[in-house]
Amino acid sequence: MQKVHIRRQFLRTKDITVVEEKTLKQAIAGTVVGNFMEWYDFGIYGYLAVTMASVFTSGLPKSMSLIVMLLGFAVSFLVRPLGGIILGPLGDRVGRQKVLFLTMGMMVVSTALIGILPTSHQIGAWAIVPLYALQMVQGFSTGGEYSGATTYISEFSPDRKRGFYSAWLDMGSYIGSAFGAGMVAITTIIAEHGWGADAMVNGGWRIPYLLTIPLGIIAMALRTHIPETPQFAAHQERQEEEQAELSHEAREAAWRQESPWDRPGTMLYVIKRHWRRLLIAVAIVAATNTAGYVLTSYMPTYLREEVGTTPTMAAAATVPVLTIMALCLPLIGHLSDIIGRKPIYAIAVISTFVLVYPAFQLLHHGTFWAIQGALAMIAIPVAFYAGVSASTLPALFPTESRFSGMGLSYNFAVSLFGGTTPLVSQALITFTGNHDAPGFYIMFFAIFSGIACIVMRESSASPLPGSMPTVGSEEEARELVLTQEQNPKIDTSTMPMPMITVEIPVGQTLPQRPENIKLPPRKEPEAGSKDSEDSKDTESKKSEERTDSQSQDSGTETDTDNKD
């Protein structure tokens, strides 16, 4: 007889992760609040850019002071890749929940501190230095926030509804941005009514930043109660089992001999193994965020400086559009669960070329309804991009590298292209004199997004690579096991299927299913003998093993050991 070690190809019910609805809602709330805070914090900087230019850069020409403030916005994004490089692999090693708690704390503290900074009237030109420093802390923490949150929520969501549940994450982002705009508008109205036209410059700008303190306490409380994702917990358990089979000396020797390029949990490993997926993610994120940041962070500046609206109008104009768009994101995510992620991205790309240029033409009519109509036209491609980002991007990477891959690709693209959008847009207008330049900038990145959409793999309703399927109920798990052979979304070659061992006669071909193995006839021992008793015990154990394997096992990877 020979022992054959087989990697199972067919799922059993116990292999499938069942996520309870209560736990799922808790996970969604804990991650959405973090993205709400992130976009609120970054949003108020964009909405207050013109006001803060007078506060922190007094003495400079108006055009230069605005560019200096927008440079501060860009600086915060330039350190994002560093946050992704450090926090991404950390999240793949110690867990998603711990890193998300850390990023939330850093974001809250740095934003609140901006609200108490001295101004240029108090300490001169040095005032900009601590502002830039705190913006960099914000950028570092955000480097792990969105990539970690999308990884977290995608690993918690049932496969068939991942688009719907993940879209809540970006809904929180845009609601946060709208809330930031609303707070700036309300603060401006109250402050100018009570203390005069210069009230915002004289200290009113601090109020939206200091509001971060009570909001942050609530967000931190929610973050402390979210559990670790079941997919990462299962991955960590498998790693511990594998490590337990090796001695400490063997693990140390293997680690020393292993190249950093082949060591899971490092950025070098991610770059070597997943560089194509990284490029796809960068192209999609660049297109999503150039359009998104024009609509959110840059639009108030554009409306004041290029269209000529009042400060209150500039801050409040985006609130209705962002609110409606944000509420539509879960619907778009649900649609992607039905028709696929790629068709949704195709709609986003096509609508960019059809709607963005006419929208910038319409903005210059300057009336309230013209501005609302133009913003709605820009919001349509942004909504279709954002509605599927949180479900599509994490599905590009396997479990062992998901946080790292997201952290590197997302933050690199946002830093280089998205976060610099306000600065680049204003610079393009200044140097070319073309007020429609931001629209052309958006369309340029849509080209690369379209190419990425064509070459990427469709991931809707499929298990995440490197993970077992995730469902919402025990009944759905049983149905999946029964129909797995007819289900085109189930590919066990991408899953961490366990190894099993069976015995077959030497020379016999391994059948498709181990339970079909035909054992050769053998001579029965005499009744009452010791061999007979041992035989009964052995047959009982084999019977139990065969019964347990009735949930459809087969193998693709085999190792054999001959036994006499």
Side-chain angles (χ1 to χ4, degrees):
M1 300 290 286
Q2 62 177 341
K3 285 184 178 180
V4 183
H5 308 294
I6 309 167
R7 188 171 297 280
R8 217 165 13 94
Q9 271 194 329
F10 290 90
L11 293 167
R12 299 174 179 176
T13 306
K14 66 180 182 181
D15 296 326
I16 298 172
T17 303
V18 180
V19 179
E20 297 180 357
E21 186 175 357
K22 179 181 178 182
T23 307
L24 180 59
K25 289 180 178 179
Q26 184 182 14
I28 291 173
T31 48
V32 167
V33 72
N35 268 47
F36 175 92
M37 288 296 300
E38 175 194 344
W39 278 64
Y40 171 78
D41 296 340
F42 274 110
I44 55 179
Y45 188 93
Y47 297 125
L48 289 170
V50 176
T51 300
M52 292 176 68
S54 301
V55 173
F56 287 95
T57 61
S58 59
L60 290 177
K62 184 176 180 181
S63 60
M64 280 302 299
S65 66
L66 183 58
I67 288 180
V68 168
M69 289 308 299
L70 293 178
L71 179 62
F73 191 77
V75 163
S76 67
F77 281 85
L78 293 177
V79 298
R80 271 196 177 199
L82 181 62
I85 289 170
I86 294 175
L87 298 174
L90 184 64
D92 281 332
R93 289 197 298 270
V94 305
R96 288 50 164 134
Q97 190 270 343
K98 294 182 180 67
V99 173
L100 286 174
F101 183 81
L102 173 64
T103 59
M104 186 79 267
M106 294 175 67
M107 174 64 76
V108 170
V109 172
S110 58
T111 305
L113 287 176
I114 291 177
I116 60 173
L117 287 178
T119 68
S120 60
H121 292 288
Q122 295 170 314
I123 63 173
W126 289 101
I128 201 70
V129 176
L131 177 64
Y132 279 12
L134 290 174
Q135 284 290 109
M136 291 173 71
V137 174
Q138 283 186 332
F140 181 87
S141 64
T142 308
E145 173 61 36
Y146 185 80
S147 54
T150 53
T151 297
Y152 184 90
I153 203 69
S154 65
E155 290 183 347
F156 242 111
S157 302
D159 298 331
R160 294 180 182 177
K161 298 181 179 180
R162 186 176 299 114
F164 172 73
Y165 287 119
S166 297
W168 285 80
L169 196 63
D170 283 288
M171 186 188 80
S173 300
Y174 286 101
I175 290 291
S177 184
F179 184 73
M183 286 307 304
V184 171
I186 292 171
T187 302
T188 301
I189 293 171
I190 295 175
E192 291 183 350
H193 179 75
W195 295 284
D198 295 330
M200 289 300 289
V201 174
N202 292 332
W205 65 272
R206 299 181 187 273
I207 296 173
Y209 281 104
L210 295 176
L211 186 62
T212 301
I213 297 173
L215 292 175
I217 292 173
I218 297 172
M220 294 291 288
L222 288 172
R223 276 282 163 95
T224 58
H225 291 93
I226 61 174
E228 188 52 81
T229 71
Q231 302 290 9
F232 179 80
H235 172 69
Q236 202 169 38
E237 184 179 344
R238 286 191 299 272
Q239 280 191 322
E240 290 172 356
E241 290 175 355
E242 292 173 1
Q243 292 294 321
E245 296 176 359
L246 299 174
S247 65
H248 176 73
E249 293 76 11
R251 290 197 298 270
E252 292 253 338
W255 190 88
R256 284 193 299 269
Q257 294 174 7
E258 195 173 37
S259 166
W261 292 94
D262 299 314
R263 189 178 300 150
T266 66
M267 278 297 172
L268 295 178
Y269 176 86
V270 174
I271 293 170
K272 178 182 178 180
R273 296 293 184 92
H274 308 300
W275 63 270
R276 291 182 182 85
R277 300 177 185 188
L278 290 171
L279 291 177
I280 291 172
V282 166
I284 292 174
V285 173
T288 303
N289 283 274
T290 48
Y293 280 105
V294 164
L295 180 64
T296 55
S297 298
Y298 179 62
M299 191 53 65
T301 301
Y302 186 87
L303 291 175
R304 285 187 66 172
E305 299 301 313
E306 308 303 326
V307 179
T309 64
T310 64
T312 303
M313 173 70 166
T318 59
V319 175
V321 171
L322 288 178
T323 303
I324 295 171
M325 184 190 80
L327 295 175
C328 291
L329 295 184
L331 300 178
I332 294 173
H334 177 64
L335 180 63
S336 77
D337 287 328
I338 299 172
I339 68 173
R341 319 285 192 234
K342 296 177 72 168
I344 298 295
Y345 274 123
I347 295 172
V349 172
I350 293 170
S351 60
T352 297
F353 289 105
V354 172
L355 298 175
V356 169
Y357 178 74
F360 275 89
Q361 294 287 304
L362 184 59
L363 278 173
H364 289 278
H365 283 70
T367 65
F368 174 80
W369 289 111
I371 291 173
Q372 291 301 305
L375 294 181
M377 293 167 70
I378 299 174
I380 289 174
V382 174
F384 280 97
Y385 275 128
V388 291
S389 288
S391 55
T392 303
L393 299 174
L396 292 171
F397 304 99
T399 303
E400 66 177 10
S401 303
R402 187 166 295 126
F403 203 147
S404 302
M406 276 293 300
L408 181 60
S409 60
Y410 181 82
N411 290 297
F412 177 81
V414 170
S415 301
L416 200 58
F417 308 117
T420 58
T421 293
L423 176 64
V424 173
S425 297
Q426 189 64 33
L428 287 172
I429 293 173
T430 301
F431 293 121
T432 67
N434 188 336
H435 298 288
D436 301 322
F440 294 116
Y441 191 64
I442 294 172
M443 288 187 279
F444 173 75
F445 287 99
I447 297 172
F448 298 99
S449 177
I451 296 171
C453 179
I454 293 172
V455 300
M456 78 176 184
R457 182 182 66 90
E458 178 59 68
S459 61
S460 67
S462 300
L464 294 170
S467 299
M468 293 297 194
T470 302
V471 297
S473 66
E474 295 285 353
E475 182 181 354
E476 189 178 347
R478 289 191 291 269
E479 178 189 355
L480 183 62
V481 170
L482 292 174
T483 61
Q484 60 184 296
E485 292 185 76
Q486 294 79 41
N487 190 340
K489 299 292 186 179
I490 299 299
D491 180 7
T492 54
S493 66
T494 67
M495 302 177 191
M497 301 297 288
M499 298 291 290
I500 60 173
T501 303
V502 297
E503 291 187 1
I504 63 173
V506 177
Q508 179 171 317
T509 304
L510 187 70
Q512 184 182 12
R513 300 176 186 277
E515 62 265 28
N516 292 339
I517 294 175
K518 302 297 183 181
L519 296 178
R522 59 188 181 86
K523 183 178 180 181
E524 294 293 336
E526 295 181 5
S529 67
K530 183 176 182 301
D531 289 342
S532 175
E533 295 299 322
D534 292 343
S535 175
K536 289 179 181 178
D537 292 340
T538 302
E539 286 298 324
S540 176
K541 290 178 181 178
K542 287 184 177 180
S543 176
E544 291 175 4
E545 291 175 359
R546 285 194 293 269
T547 300
D548 185 55
S549 68
Q550 289 302 310
S551 45
Q552 305 172 340
D553 296 340
S554 124
T556 54
E557 298 180 16
T558 64
D559 297 316
T560 61
D561 297 317
N562 288 337
K563 183 179 76 173
D564 294 336

